[in-house]
């Protein structure tokens, strides 16, 4: 139906009120063609006021975007100094960590020499004791007492030498364990410094992009058309002085690719193994030598004095023992040669780390002249830009307010409802600036077990880190907690290889379970529990609460006695609130189920690493299986279940 027909049916006056237009009654004929709508002066004024307000909004938004871009650049420039300070502190820490590790390796070499001297002293003392014992056998009369006294002194000297040998071995083992931690710390510190320099390079690149964005926004302000009804003061663009220094800083910062190879800490474990095996063989050799001397003495005894007529067979025993002695001496000599080869590698073990530290220091030295100009001058440029924009932005704000007020008045005069209050125009999409990205999800294919005694001592370069945590005080007060934690350690110790044996090239696909304990990596679970470092465990839980876990997970960590498994794609001191992680609280489960739970947890990490912070729960088949086992293992459960339906009575 055409508008004129409606006008004829409803009346021109009613239609004019409804549409807000003036319609001549004479034109309202049923068959007349559509006529153009003539707006009333009030509506035309309202429309013009609205268009003016829209132009004012766009004008103000353009100026505001330029001011926001300058502010973003200023915010980034303020970060340069702090990140540079972090990089300098990391450089000092890296030099100290490398020096500590190198000193430890030198002390380990000295400990090896001490062990070698102790081995020789023990061998000499054994030979003297054997000679003294032989002298007693052949002494008689007045020579017997001095011979007995000499044998006693030789025996005491031999015991002292053997005690010194055990202490020398223990000292070497302790030193090598310490060196392994020092080497890992040096590697981790170098990795941290490289990440900080990468972040500083990304910041410099972001500042360059922000400067370009600010220039584009300023061009847009300068290109705004002149509008007589809402004029803006001219924009006086300031000179920029920080761009050159910023470009030089960006060119100086990239540290280049990481080293292809780093120190292999397994050398220290191999040296420890060889030293222990040599000491063990030394004892075997001493035992066999003593046995040979005794058999030789018996073989020289006249047949009439042989106990039970055994003398004729002594010579055969001597021949067989002589062969074993020969094999033991050959093995001992071979071990000594292997140990010498491994020991020779200690001096250059940290060559790659020293080269990496030198490369990173060169980057620092190359960037140092441009850090302060890049930060301070770019910040000053941003402030000058905002100062230049201030009168333009003030005028644009005022023009928008006036245009909006004029629109409100025009709308009221046109009889329209009051327009909704409208704020500033939404800003245009800002440029994306690089931010520290969360660690990528690791491709976990296997698992390892490591022990550590301080934060930062976790073995570096692994794909994921699972912290094995419990409140040591809860474990000591609560037998149930202690039992669950012990079973957890048993499950990990039984089916997980030591982290020190994982080659560096394979670590990125390995999740390492980290136990805060003073015990050795292959120590018994009971010893790991006894030597659990309570302070370190609590400190790790506190760090997780303070900047890694969500509020709900942090509350769980505080309210539950554990034990817990906390898996991260990086070490805990390198993680943040955006880090994807997996937290398992094993407190609700029976100790008998821990082994199955650990196996399920490990398999889940291999199948898929979580994309966000998630709380781990066993899958449905495992849950059902554990429930059925507990149900059927309860005393009298089956009988009671069978009898109950038969004795049940319906309620009246």
């Amino acid at each position: 139906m055409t508008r004129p027909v409606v006008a004829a049916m409803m009346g021109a006056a009613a239609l004019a009120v409804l549409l807000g237009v003036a319609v001549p009654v004479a034109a309202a004929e049923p068959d007349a063609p559509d006529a153009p709508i003539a707006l009333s002066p009030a509506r035309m004024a309202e429309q013009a006021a609205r268009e003016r307000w829209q132009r004012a909004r766009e004008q103000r938004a353009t100026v505001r975007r330029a001011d926001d871009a300058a502010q973003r650049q200023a915010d980034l420039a303020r970060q340069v100094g702090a990140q540079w300070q972090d990089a300098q502190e990391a450089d000092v820490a890296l030099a100290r960590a490398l020096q500590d590790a190198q000193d430890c390796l030198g002390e380990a070499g000295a400990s090896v020499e001490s062990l070698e001297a102790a081995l020789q002293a023990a061998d000499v003392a054994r030979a003297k004791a054997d000679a003294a014992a032989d002298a007693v056998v052949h002494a008689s009369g007045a020579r017997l007492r001095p011979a007995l006294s000499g044998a006693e002194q030789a025996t005491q000297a031999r015991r002292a030498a053997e005690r010194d040998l055990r202490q020398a071995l223990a000292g070497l083992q302790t030193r090598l364990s310490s060196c392994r931690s020092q080497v890992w710390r040096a590697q981790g510190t170098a990795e941290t410094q490289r990440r900080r320099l990468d972040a500083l390079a990304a910041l410099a690149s972001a500042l360059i992009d922000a400067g370009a964005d600010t220039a584009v926004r300023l061009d847009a302000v300068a290109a705004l058309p002149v509008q007589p009804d809402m004029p803006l003061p001219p924009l006086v663009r300031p000179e920029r002085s920080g761009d050159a220094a910023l470009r030089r800083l960006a060119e100086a910062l990239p540290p280049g690719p990481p080293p292809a190879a780093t120190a292999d800490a397994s050398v220290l474990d191999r040296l420890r193994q060889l030293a222990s095996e040599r000491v063990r063989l030394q004892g075997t050799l001493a035992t066999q030598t003593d046995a040979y001397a005794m058999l030789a003495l018996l073989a020289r005894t006249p047949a009439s004095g042989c106990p039970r007529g055994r003398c004729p067979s002594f010579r055969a025993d001597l021949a067989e023992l002589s062969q074993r002695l020969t094999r033991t001496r050959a093995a001992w000599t071979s071990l000594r040669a292997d140990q010498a080869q491994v020991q020779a590698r200690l001096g250059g073990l940290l060559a790659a780390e020293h080269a990496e530290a030198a490369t990173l220091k060169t980057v620092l030295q190359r960037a140092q002249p441009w850090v302060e100009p890049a930060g301070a001058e770019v910040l000053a440029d941003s402030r000058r830009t905002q100062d230049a924009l201030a009168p333009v932005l003030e005028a644009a704000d005022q023009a928008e307010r006036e245009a909006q007020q004029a629109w409100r008045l025009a709308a009221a005069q046109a009889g329209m409802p009051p327009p909704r209050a409208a704020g500033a125009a939404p800003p245009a999409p800002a440029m994306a600036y690089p931010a520290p990205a969360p660690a990528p999800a690791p491709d976990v294919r296997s698992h390892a077990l490591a022990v550590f005694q301080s934060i930062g001592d976790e073995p570096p370069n692994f794909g994921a880190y699972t912290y094995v945590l419990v409140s040591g005080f809860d474990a000591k007060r609560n037998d149930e907690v202690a039992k669950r934690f012990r079973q957890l350690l048993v499950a990990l110790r039984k089916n997980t290889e030591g982290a020190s044996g994982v080659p560096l090239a394979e670590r990125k696909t390995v999740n390492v379970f980290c136990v805060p304990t003073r015990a050795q990596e292959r120590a018994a679970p009971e010893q790991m529990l006894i030597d659990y470092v309570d302070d370190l465990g609590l400190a790790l839980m506190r760090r997780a609460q303070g900047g890694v876990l969500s509020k709900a997970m942090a509350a769980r960590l505080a309210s539950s006695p554990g034990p817990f498994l906390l898996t991260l794609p990086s070490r805990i001191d390198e993680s943040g609130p955006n880090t994807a992680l997996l937290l398992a609280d094993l407190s609700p489960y029976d100790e008998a189920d821990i082994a199955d739970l650990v196996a399920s947890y490990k398999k889940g990490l291999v199948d898929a690493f979580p994309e966000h912070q998630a709380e781990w729960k066993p899958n449905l088949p495992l849950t059902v299986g554990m429930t059925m086992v507990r149900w059927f293992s309860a005393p009298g459960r089956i009988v009671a279940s069978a009898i109950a339906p038969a004795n049940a009575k319906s309620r009246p």
Side-chain angles (χ1 to χ4, degrees):
M1 185 179 295
T2 64
R3 188 180 291 110
V5 173
V6 176
M9 296 172 62
M10 299 182 60
L15 185 58
V17 173
L18 180 62
L19 299 179
V21 299
V23 181
V25 176
E29 298 179 1
D31 297 327
D34 289 350
I37 300 175
L39 296 178
S40 67
R43 282 297 305 274
M44 293 176 63
E46 183 275 334
Q47 186 179 34
R50 184 170 66 249
E51 291 175 353
R52 177 191 172 194
W53 177 72
Q54 289 173 345
R55 286 186 287 110
R57 288 183 64 187
E58 293 171 358
Q59 178 177 264
R60 177 186 178 276
T62 300
V63 181
R64 172 60 67 184
R65 283 193 287 267
D67 186 72
D68 289 345
Q71 182 61 49
R72 283 194 297 272
Q73 191 177 16
D75 293 340
L76 290 171
R78 291 188 184 93
Q79 299 177 28
V80 172
Q83 291 206 17
W84 177 253
Q85 182 66 30
D86 289 344
Q88 287 182 312
E89 292 176 356
D91 180 64
V92 174
L94 176 56
R96 184 169 56 248
L98 274 175
Q99 188 60 53
D100 290 344
Q102 196 66 53
D103 291 345
C104 187
L105 292 177
E107 294 168 357
S111 297
V112 172
E113 297 300 331
S114 297
L115 178 65
E116 195 68 34
L119 284 167
Q120 295 177 3
D123 192 52
V124 170
R126 183 207 56 76
K128 289 182 178 180
D130 184 58
D134 196 49
V136 170
V137 171
H138 295 90
S140 61
R143 298 169 56 188
L144 181 59
R145 183 178 296 275
L148 289 172
S149 177
E152 182 179 359
Q153 293 176 5
T155 300
Q156 292 176 355
R158 178 179 181 177
R159 290 173 180 171
E162 291 173 345
R163 183 173 59 252
D164 292 343
L165 177 59
R166 289 192 297 270
Q167 291 176 352
L169 176 62
L172 175 61
Q173 291 174 333
T174 301
R175 179 61 60 192
L176 291 174
S177 296
S178 176
C179 289
R180 183 180 59 184
S181 297
Q182 297 286 0
V183 169
W184 283 348
R185 180 186 291 275
Q187 291 174 334
T189 307
E191 187 178 348
T192 299
Q193 173 66 326
R194 175 172 286 276
R195 283 198 306 272
R196 286 178 174 169
L197 290 178
D198 285 337
L200 193 56
L203 178 58
S205 178
L207 271 169
I208 293 175
D209 293 342
D213 183 38
T214 302
V216 170
R217 306 296 186 189
L218 290 174
D219 290 341
V221 173
L224 284 172
V226 177
Q227 305 188 57
D229 54 348
M230 43 184 178
L232 296 178
L235 173 64
V236 181
R237 297 179 68 161
E239 293 292 331
R240 299 186 58 82
S241 60
D243 291 345
L246 186 56
R247 285 193 297 271
R248 296 295 296 271
L249 177 63
E251 293 169 358
L253 273 173
T262 56
D264 185 5
S266 64
V267 170
L268 303 174
D269 296 324
R270 177 58 177 162
L271 183 57
R272 178 177 175 174
Q273 176 187 1
L274 289 171
S276 300
E277 185 64 16
R278 281 193 68 199
V279 172
R280 186 191 69 79
L281 274 183
Q282 177 86 354
T284 301
L285 193 60
T287 300
Q288 291 176 349
T289 302
D290 289 343
Y292 187 88
M294 188 63 191
L295 277 176
L297 176 64
L298 293 177
R300 291 195 299 269
T301 304
S304 60
C306 288
R308 301 183 182 179
R310 283 279 293 147
C311 286
S313 65
F314 285 159
R315 292 180 180 83
D317 293 337
L318 275 173
E320 191 274 333
L321 184 54
S322 177
Q323 294 176 359
R324 282 194 285 133
L325 264 171
T326 301
R327 290 194 297 269
T328 302
R329 288 195 181 99
W332 193 89
T333 302
S334 176
L335 281 176
R336 183 176 183 179
D338 291 345
Q339 179 182 310
Q341 291 180 355
V342 174
Q343 183 181 352
R345 298 175 59 186
L346 290 183
L349 187 63
L350 292 174
E353 280 69 22
H354 282 293
E356 169 78 340
T359 298
L360 299 179
K361 180 174 282 293
T362 300
V363 173
L364 279 178
Q365 294 171 346
R366 195 168 60 214
Q368 185 171 10
W370 311 109
V371 172
E372 185 175 355
E377 293 180 15
V378 171
L379 180 59
D381 289 344
S382 302
R383 288 172 176 170
R384 285 193 294 269
T385 299
Q386 289 184 297
D387 291 342
L389 284 169
V392 183
L393 184 59
E394 183 179 358
D397 287 341
Q398 181 65 26
E400 187 196 11
R401 287 193 297 269
E402 293 175 355
Q404 186 180 31
Q405 183 62 27
W407 176 41
R408 287 176 176 274
L409 291 175
Q413 291 174 1
M416 299 178 62
R420 292 179 300 171
M431 295 183 64
Y433 299 110
D443 178 20
V444 176
R445 302 177 188 176
S446 60
H447 304 273
L449 178 66
V451 298
F452 68 113
Q453 299 179 25
S454 62
I455 295 175
D457 275 349
E458 304 96 315
N461 302 319
F462 278 88
Y465 292 81
T466 297
Y467 291 87
V468 184
L469 301 174
V470 71
S471 169
F473 302 99
D474 284 332
K476 292 172 181 175
R477 289 195 304 262
N478 189 322
D479 288 342
E480 294 300 321
V481 175
K483 290 177 181 178
R484 282 193 295 270
F485 190 57
R486 186 181 297 106
Q487 289 303 316
L488 173 59
L489 294 175
V490 168
L492 293 176
R493 176 70 175 79
K494 181 178 180 181
N495 298 315
T496 313
E497 67 171 319
S500 60
V502 179
L504 184 63
E506 299 176 8
R507 289 188 177 185
K508 288 300 182 184
T509 60
V510 177
N511 165 59
V512 59
F513 287 89
C514 299
V515 183
T517 178
R518 285 181 290 270
Q520 300 299 321
E521 184 176 87
R522 305 309 295 172
E526 189 67 34
Q527 191 62 43
M528 286 189 177
L529 178 59
I530 293 173
D531 291 337
Y532 186 85
V533 185
D534 297 338
D535 292 347
L536 178 56
L538 293 174
L540 289 165
M541 295 165 72
R542 183 62 175 171
R543 289 205 181 192
Q545 285 181 323
V548 178
L549 294 177
S550 65
K551 183 177 180 179
M553 289 189 178
R556 168 62 68 92
L557 206 63
S559 61
S560 173
F564 302 94
L565 295 174
L566 174 59
T567 300
L568 304 159
S570 56
R571 293 186 289 190
I572 196 167
D573 59 344
E574 301 165 0
S575 304
N578 296 324
T579 301
L581 58 85
L582 190 62
L583 175 67
D585 179 7
L586 303 181
S587 61
Y589 307 103
D590 291 345
E591 61 174 302
D593 299 329
I594 295 297
D596 292 333
L597 293 170
V598 170
S600 176
Y601 188 92
K602 292 164 71 174
K603 182 178 184 301
L605 288 177
V606 172
D607 291 341
F609 196 89
E611 299 178 355
H612 51 80
Q613 296 200 359
E615 186 172 352
W616 181 82
K617 298 291 184 183
N619 55 40
L620 182 60
L622 178 59
T623 303
V624 172
M626 293 189 301
T627 303
M628 295 297 291
V629 168
R630 287 194 297 271
W631 194 81
F632 281 107
S633 61
R637 173 71 71 182
I638 298 178
V639 176
S641 300
I643 295 176
N647 294 339
K649 296 181 179 180
S650 60
R651 293 185 178 181

